[in-house]
Amino acid sequence: MAQRTNSANTVQWKLNDLYATPDALRADMEALQADAEAFADTHRGQIAEYDAPALAELLDTYETLLDRAGRAHAYAFLRWATNTGDEKRGALLQHVREQYAQLQQQLLFVEVEWTRVDDDRADQLLEHDALAPYIHYLEVEHARADHVLTEREEQVLSEKNVTGHSAWTRFFDETLGDQRYTVDGDELSQQEILSQLYEPDRDTRRTAALSFTEGLTELQRPLTFVFNTVLADKASTDRLRDYDHWLQSRNESNQVEHEMVEALIDAVTGRYDLAGRFYRLKKKLLGLDTLYDYDRYAPIQEATTTYEWDDARSLVLDAYGTFHPRMADVARRFFEENWIDAALSEGKRSGAFSHSTVPSAHPYVLLNYTERARDVQTLAHELGHGVHQYLARGQGALQQSTPLTTAETASVFGEMLVFQELMQTQDTPEDELALLVSKIDDTMATVFRQVAMNRFEDRIHTHRRTEGELSADDFSEHWMETQRAMFDGSVTLGDHYRHWWSYIPHFLHTPGYVYAYAFGELLVLALYARYQDAPDGFADRYLSVLEAGGSEWPHRLMERMGVDLTNPAFWEEGLREVEALIDRAESLAESASTPAHAG
């Protein structure tokens, strides 16, 4: 694969903080299995009889076991993510997943037995100070009692997941990771070809879109089968757990009421006119008669500025430090201690993520850095996650992780800080407009596109459960109808775009995930507006929310910031901020002398 030389190509993480070698991991997993068996032999069948101090002692040991298991899984996954085509790395990841499933089976009794504790007895225990460090975890687990099966049934589901859902998502990742897309004789990875959709030259964008479609079409049969299998797997699990709706388990995991999610979706779909308004403005700025799907991310003026790795680092750390010095101090460690892998390399997983690993270690960030302005924003986004995950380590393995709804808050807020920093460095209205349009591009993708994808998910899950297996054309029809609705007639979707549902990993890895992006973006837009209006004390309160991790209900955490997530009208606040961004872009377009061009 032809690689673009850039300043980040030597930026690779070191996983020694997790394990020195794969052999060390294997030895630890073997010892961990023995320790888990001993733990289960001591405590299985006893939880209903334990008083609060005894239950707290059990949970302390349980957390230690989970931390060790999570460390092993994180090491194997992160090692594989930088080279998904390496068979040895894939084999190690599979070995750890199989061992992890066996470990889960040993430990499942903790949650199963706790959900069976009588409500009055549980309430009495939760009032004891000894359980204060675990109270939210225990509340959440007890609240889902109606959907927890017997210990043996839970063990079977855990065991079969290794060769079921988990195996299919790995097959999906490795299949797309190996796929190459031909452009002018060059073989490009998914990350490389999708990056061409941001090029100023229209022929480059069109060629990339068609080549990407050709590659997806080659994989149409296996990808359609994978999607159908994962949809059926989720449907059967939901039936076994007695969930009434395909999204119910995700909402439960996100610790939000279904009505809150419906209010979010209704608010966004009710303002699809904002997407239409923005893309009509963009069509005008680009000087195009028709805005096609491959034109959506085109820059309105040719980008001449590139950001070497050190420049990106300085921009992010400066923006974080201006907001709160501690944010910059934590983020700086990612650079100084090799917690980031940003190099472009053969077989590396596309996209970007921050992996929290475990409380006894620290997060790691993966990027595919190409020195563009949007890569700086991606760095800010993932470091927002990383800072959040690092600060929440004090909550322990049971409460470090936040539900997906609030997991995006810190990342999107980090992006906003860096965006404002970049805006202040622009010299002309034309440059300011170009950066603002790029920001709104991302907002459209994060709010409106993600909700449109939620509507697609709703269609395909419902179809699979009521009508049976979907054909590739069924998937494509649902995709095109839900995507067209979002654009409000402003974008023409080519026939090739029918296949683009098939590469999106969230549909498979975490069904129901995507609305969390819109949740986080609108929440942050509203929060940032409040920060600008009343900055005193805001940053300290914000960091206290990050430190809380998953130790409280999301709506309770946001109350610290003066936000009422239970009020359906709240989402209108965020949407008004989106409208304000579009207003600003339209105003700048009137005063800027950006030349119209046809790409």
Side-chain angles (χ1 to χ4, degrees):
M1 178 182 72
Q3 292 187 18
R4 174 178 176 176
T5 301
N6 68 63
S7 54
N9 272 352
T10 59
V11 179
Q12 297 175 303
W13 56 36
K14 294 181 180 179
L15 301 180
N16 299 39
D17 290 345
L18 298 173
Y19 287 101
T21 65
D23 287 341
L25 177 153
R26 291 178 185 273
D28 192 38
M29 285 295 285
E30 186 174 337
L32 180 57
Q33 291 290 352
D35 291 344
E37 288 178 17
F39 174 80
D41 289 343
T42 300
H43 299 289
R44 181 179 278 114
Q46 306 298 315
I47 290 179
E49 307 302 323
Y50 283 167
D51 60 13
L55 183 56
E57 184 178 350
L58 172 144
L59 291 173
D60 184 61
T61 305
Y62 182 50
E63 274 200 312
T64 300
L65 295 171
L66 293 177
D67 190 289
R68 291 169 61 189
R71 176 182 290 265
H73 190 276
Y75 176 85
F77 171 75
L78 294 173
R79 191 167 175 270
W80 169 82
T82 55
N83 190 350
T84 61
D86 186 318
E87 292 183 357
K88 290 184 178 179
R89 297 183 186 210
L92 179 66
L93 177 59
Q94 185 65 14
H95 170 74
V96 170
R97 284 177 171 170
E98 291 171 3
Q99 293 290 305
Y100 193 86
Q102 293 179 24
L103 185 76
Q104 280 184 314
Q105 292 168 47
Q106 290 289 342
L107 301 178
L108 275 169
F109 76 92
V110 175
E111 293 176 358
V112 172
E113 291 186 25
W114 169 245
T115 62
R116 301 293 186 263
V117 172
D118 176 80
D119 288 351
D120 291 339
R121 170 69 173 157
D123 290 341
Q124 183 183 23
L125 288 168
L126 291 175
E127 292 176 359
H128 199 287
D129 290 344
L131 291 174
Y134 307 105
I135 188 168
H136 185 61
Y137 161 75
L138 292 171
E139 286 176 342
V140 170
E141 289 303 312
H142 207 267
R144 67 185 191 94
D146 291 343
H147 307 294
V148 177
L149 307 178
T150 67
E151 182 182 353
R152 184 56 186 153
E153 288 168 335
E154 293 287 354
Q155 288 174 334
V156 170
L157 286 179
S158 174
E159 178 78 16
K160 297 304 292 181
N161 181 61
V162 176
T163 52
H165 178 260
S166 179
W168 286 113
T169 55
R170 178 186 165 191
F171 173 77
F172 172 85
D173 287 343
E174 293 187 359
T175 298
L176 286 177
D178 288 341
Q179 181 72 339
R180 291 296 176 266
Y181 308 89
T182 304
V183 176
D184 297 331
D186 291 330
E187 298 294 312
L188 304 181
S189 68
Q190 177 176 303
Q191 185 72 24
E192 290 173 313
I193 197 162
L194 290 180
S195 72
Q196 293 194 359
L197 297 177
Y198 297 84
E199 291 290 339
D201 181 69
R202 198 182 201 192
D203 287 339
T204 298
R205 299 194 301 270
R206 181 192 296 112
T207 299
L210 295 177
S211 177
F212 186 57
T213 300
E214 184 178 344
L216 293 179
T217 304
E218 291 174 5
L219 299 174
Q220 178 176 283
R221 186 169 182 178
L223 293 180
T224 299
F225 185 82
V226 170
F227 267 70
N228 270 304
T229 302
V230 171
L231 290 175
D233 179 78
K234 175 166 171 51
S236 66
T237 300
D238 284 350
R239 284 194 300 271
L240 289 169
R241 295 195 181 281
D242 199 26
Y243 286 117
D244 297 327
H245 184 268
W246 76 272
L247 199 55
Q248 188 178 354
S249 62
R250 176 56 47 209
N251 293 342
E252 183 182 88
S253 177
N254 285 344
Q255 299 176 29
V256 294
E257 295 295 330
H258 184 66
E259 292 75 16
M260 188 187 301
V261 177
E262 286 294 299
L264 165 67
I265 292 169
D266 289 346
V268 174
T269 56
R271 293 308 313 268
Y272 275 168
D273 63 290
L274 291 177
R277 180 177 154 194
F278 170 70
Y279 287 115
R280 289 184 183 94
L281 170 65
K282 189 159 190 183
K283 179 174 70 172
K284 178 181 177 182
L285 291 171
L286 291 171
L288 299 174
D289 293 328
T290 302
L291 192 73
Y292 286 102
D293 52 272
Y294 50 76
D295 296 320
R296 287 173 299 146
Y297 301 125
I300 62 169
Q301 65 182 38
E302 188 155 358
T304 57
T305 304
T306 58
Y307 296 86
E308 293 193 357
W309 182 248
D310 286 344
D311 296 330
R313 167 180 169 156
S314 296
L315 275 166
V316 174
L317 292 182
D318 287 349
Y320 277 23
T322 299
F323 178 71
H324 199 294
R326 193 175 175 204
M327 277 187 68
D329 290 342
V330 173
R332 189 173 292 108
R333 296 190 64 181
F334 283 78
F335 296 96
E336 294 177 350
E337 301 181 36
N338 302 110
W339 298 353
I340 303 176
D341 196 295
L344 299 176
S345 59
E346 183 73 34
K348 185 175 180 179
R349 181 170 165 161
S350 64
F353 64 75
S354 179
H355 194 307
S356 61
T357 73
V358 289
S360 64
H362 54 77
Y364 283 90
V365 164
L366 179 141
L367 306 167
N368 286 271
Y369 192 79
T370 60
E371 299 188 337
R372 302 177 185 221
R374 67 175 296 98
D375 293 315
V376 180
Q377 291 286 78
T378 301
L379 175 62
H381 181 102
E382 299 306 337
L383 280 177
H385 279 307
V387 169
H388 191 181
Q389 292 159 350
Y390 184 88
L391 292 175
R393 293 178 313 144
Q395 300 299 334
L398 294 173
Q399 296 184 151
Q400 175 191 26
S401 297
T402 62
L404 295 176
T405 40
T406 48
E408 292 300 327
T409 305
S411 55
V412 178
F413 199 89
E415 268 193 84
M416 181 61 77
L417 292 172
V418 172
F419 166 70
Q420 296 294 345
E421 185 89 1
L422 286 169
M423 283 292 281
Q424 293 175 17
T425 67
Q426 304 309 303
D427 297 324
T428 67
E430 291 77 18
D431 290 339
E432 189 177 353
L433 176 61
L435 184 61
L436 178 58
V437 167
S438 177
K439 171 61 180 173
I440 302 174
D441 277 334
D442 290 341
T443 300
M444 290 295 123
T446 306
V447 176
F448 296 98
R449 185 168 185 262
Q450 298 299 335
V451 166
M453 290 200 295
N454 165 273
R455 299 295 78 203
F456 168 72
E457 278 194 290
D458 186 71
R459 292 273 197 98
I460 62 176
H461 281 282
T462 301
H463 186 138
R464 187 68 180 84
R465 294 171 189 221
T466 59
E467 301 178 48
E469 201 165 80
L470 291 84
S471 67
D473 283 342
D474 289 331
F475 281 112
S476 296
E477 283 302 313
H478 290 312
W479 174 252
M480 293 295 278
E481 288 175 13
T482 52
Q483 288 286 299
R484 284 194 186 103
M486 164 200 160
F487 292 114
D488 194 36
S490 62
V491 176
T492 298
L493 303 180
D495 192 59
H496 66 276
Y497 193 67
R498 294 172 56 83
H499 303 279
W500 286 35
W501 53 269
S502 61
Y503 80 96
I504 299 170
H506 288 322
F507 295 153
L508 302 177
H509 285 270
T510 317
Y513 184 116
V514 291
Y515 77 75
Y517 284 112
F519 193 112
E521 179 83 6
L522 292 180
L523 173 58
V524 165
L525 286 170
L527 282 176
Y528 195 82
R530 294 179 185 209
Y531 166 55
Q532 290 180 306
D533 290 340
D536 290 348
F538 183 96
D540 287 333
R541 294 195 304 276
Y542 175 79
L543 256 65
S544 77
V545 168
L546 301 191
E547 288 177 325
S551 65
E552 184 55 278
W553 300 98
H555 66 279
R556 294 276 176 79
L557 280 177
M558 287 302 112
E559 284 174 0
R560 302 184 190 183
M561 309 304 299
V563 167
D564 182 5
L565 291 179
T566 65
N567 182 356
F570 169 74
W571 304 113
E572 298 297 335
E573 280 190 51
L575 288 164
R576 282 196 295 272
E577 294 303 317
V578 175
E579 188 166 18
L581 290 173
I582 298 172
D583 288 343
R584 187 176 175 188
E586 289 173 337
S587 177
L588 279 170
E590 291 297 322
S591 59
S593 58
T594 302
H597 62 87

